[in-house]
Amino acid sequence: MGDILKIEGLNFRYPESPRNAVSDFELSIPEGEIAVLAGPSGCGKSTLLRTVNGLIPHMYGGEYSGDVIVAGSSVKGSSMRDLAQTVGFLFQNPENQIFMFTVERDVAFGLENLGVPREEMRSRVDEALRLLRIGDLAQRAPHELSDGQKQRVALAGVLAMRPKLVILDEPTSLLDPKTASELVTLVARLREELGTTFVVVEHRLDLLVGVADRLVVMDGGRKVLEGSPRDVLFGDDAEAHGVAIPAVTRVQKALTESKGGRAVAGGLLTPSELASAVEGRRR
Amino acid sequence: MMWLSGGFIFRKGYSFYHRLDPRAKLLNSALMFVTTLLARSIFEMVLVVAFMVGLSAAATVLKRVARTMAFTALFSGFIFVVNVLFTRDLETSVLYATRFVAIVVSTSIFFITTSPDELEQVMKMFRLPRDVVFAFVTAVRFIPVMMLDTIQIMDAQKSRGLELEKGNLVRRVRNMIPILIPLVVNSVVRSGELAEAMEARAYGAAPKPTSLLEYRARRVDIGVACASVVLFALAAYSFYFVIPVQFP
Ligand SMILES: Nc1ncnc2c1ncn2[C@@H]1O[C@H](COP(=O)(O)OP(=O)(O)O)[C@@H](O)[C@H]1O
Ligand SMILES: [Mg+2]
């Protein structure tokens, strides 16, 4: 399988901004991966996502150089119409991406815009509702939904367009811990069932390390670290770039330091890994 | 205010009238509207109002229509007084005052029983530009969101010591500024985010967007439409030829 996303030498500066929001960026994401993008606020994560779905450069002015290639076509050269069908974008605030009066109408919104015939639209909407297990909400009005439900509705609207790549910008920032971890489980399941590639901007790494294949850390518009979550989080630089190291990893690091590296077998990221490591030592 | 304006805001309902094709409801309300203009005596007006009250009861919205009537009573009282002063004719004044109430009721029956989805459909039917229809859709969609925003901002500002209910009128109006500014800022941010989300969902991509919902007139809808035309013709005929005109 090839790369669904390739960013090559990308630089972008917003109009009237003194410095680049994204600088010399290189990134390749193979199809079917879940990649996590982390970094301090204002480091350019959302900007990078906008260059992937074409809002930059199609909607924003500014200085743009380099190339972003999604599913083999350059974003610069593609229309928003085509991009909307390959790249799904789940924005931070689900409230502001639900347009219609009922859930099912909203899930259909993108398809209506594309002029998809009614019968096909019906089946794709039902499929998206089923995938997200929100069929019972179909006739609800947006203001009758909880934040977690709104998030699912927005994601259903994105998935109904059958994108190959879905990008999520801080999807859990408005969710309580339980709903947030449900969303992560959902993303993992969708990747299994549909083979969709996900790029997720997320601060709460402890939620995602269990399912992510790749962790990219940004700082000041540049990519500063990249690798498997294990390699990045156990490396020496992660903390320096303000990455929130998961508690399990911190525990293991502390144990390793105090007991001269014998404490627990290497590279623990999730509580269940820690649990089985500890169990293993007891026996 | 909320209590009164409730007479124009749709709430889910399941009566036969709610379920009618929006076009049939629009036609019916339009004809009732015209009938109120045709009524030339209090007796005729009472007939029209009685019909609308009966219809509201059948559509299970009588309570809310009554609220609309209570709301308009104030204006209609004003119309009555002005008319009495100028025409010095009690009957004409009563007629005008009730006509005002009747007009409002005829439109309110439409808005109370027609969902925003159906309103959108009606707007499309009149071939309004897609952007206009969509602006209407988002405006209605965000009414509850903005109301919640307002309440939250008011609470936040009150907890910082803003006193909304104090002082004279000028002071009270000035007190609204700390509420309005965050509200406006919120809306600006919101519309920016909405614009991005619209692009990401291919808004404006197809020259002919399709719709998930289909409004196909059923027999009932056509039946109701015909019935309202017949009733209208009957009313118009009897107002002019059967019921004698009583006032000058
Ligand atoms: N629409 C915009 N116009 C101008 N500057 C912007 C705009 N959006 C973001 N920026 C700037 O670009 C930089 C990166 O922002 P952003 O991509 O939103 O960061 P993040 O998502 O990582 O918090 C910031 O310095 C921010 O102020
Ligand atoms: Mg951001």
Side-chain angles (χ1 to χ4, degrees), chain B residues 56-77:
Chain B
S56 311
T60 65
V61 292
L62 186 57
K63 246 191 209 158
R64 303 187 59 207
V65 168
R67 218 186 276 179
T68 311
M69 287 166 118
F71 180 46
T72 45
L74 205 76
F75 292 92
S76 95

Side-chain angles (χ1 to χ4, degrees), chain A residues 101 135 172:
Chain A
F101 309 113
T172 67

Side-chain angles (χ1 to χ4, degrees), chain A:
Chain A
M1 261 193 277
D3 290 337
I4 184 85
L5 172 65
K6 248 177 122 63
I7 301 177
E8 294 168 345
L10 182 71
N11 285 282
F12 177 74
R13 184 202 308 244
Y14 285 104
E16 283 148 56
S17 168
R19 53 184 191 84
N20 281 2
V22 172
S23 298
D24 302 325
F25 212 93
E26 304 277 341
L27 184 68
S28 294
I29 308 282
E31 198 163 354
E33 267 198 1
I34 296 178
V36 175
L37 184 61
S41 301
C43 74
K45 303 180 297 294
S46 298
T47 307
L48 189 72
L49 296 187
R50 286 187 186 124
T51 67
V52 174
N53 90 323
L55 288 173
I56 295 174
H58 295 300
M59 213 177 130
Y60 284 83
E63 248 171 78
Y64 181 100
S65 69
D67 214 353
V68 178
I69 293 154
V70 177
S73 336
S74 166
V75 166
K76 271 187 298 196
S78 309
S79 64
M80 275 312 286
R81 180 199 165 112
D82 291 336
L83 283 164
Q85 293 174 79
T86 18
V87 187
F89 200 143
L90 188 74
F91 296 85
Q92 192 167 355
N93 188 351
E95 188 81 80
N96 294 344
Q97 50 188 316
I98 297 178
F99 302 98
M100 308 306 280
F101 309 113
T102 59
V103 165
E104 67 166 18
R105 274 302 297 289
D106 192 76
V107 173
F109 180 70
L111 303 176
E112 291 188 352
N113 289 333
L114 291 169
V116 172
R118 182 172 293 124
E119 291 71 38
E120 190 190 337
M121 182 150 46
R122 185 77 255 175
S123 74
R124 281 167 73 170
V125 167
D126 290 343
E127 181 192 77
L129 292 172
R130 199 171 49 242
L131 269 172
L132 296 198
R133 299 180 182 154
I134 49 172
D136 51 327
L137 304 180
Q139 298 305 326
R140 292 269 188 95
H143 64 263
E144 297 167 340
L145 304 173
S146 69
D147 286 339
Q149 289 171 332
K150 280 180 199 158
Q151 191 76 277
R152 275 170 190 250
V153 170
L155 190 53
V158 166
L159 292 178
M161 298 173 83
R162 300 206 175 133
K164 290 202 178 83
L165 169 65
V166 173
I167 51 191
L168 299 91
D169 196 352
E170 305 196 25
T172 67
S173 60
L174 298 174
L175 304 182
D176 60 75
K178 180 163 172 284
T179 320
S181 82
E182 282 168 4
L183 182 79
V184 172
T185 314
L186 176 69
V187 166
R189 178 163 63 82
L190 291 172
R191 189 259 299 264
E192 292 309 318
E193 286 180 22
L194 307 173
T196 312
T197 312
F198 286 90
V199 175
V200 189
V201 168
E202 184 58 66
H203 289 294
R204 290 146 91 170
L205 289 180
D206 53 335
L207 282 174
L208 272 156
V209 282
V211 299
D213 304 295
R214 185 183 301 266
L215 175 58
V216 179
V217 180
M218 272 181 92
D219 203 353
R222 291 170 195 277
K223 181 173 87 181
V224 289
L225 293 171
E226 182 185 3
S228 73
R230 215 172 293 278
D231 292 346
V232 171
L233 293 172
F234 280 92
D236 300 325
D237 301 330
E239 240 158 325
H241 289 292
V243 176
I245 311 286
V248 170
T249 309
R250 282 207 311 271
V251 167
Q252 195 199 356
K253 275 186 174 174
L255 285 174
T256 312
E257 274 158 25
S258 67
K259 296 200 175 173
R262 291 189 307 106
V264 200
L268 302 182
L269 293 173
T270 63
S272 59
E273 284 174 6
L274 177 62
S276 44
V278 171
E279 287 292 305
R281 271 176 56 82
R282 271 210 199 118
R283 268 187 224 119

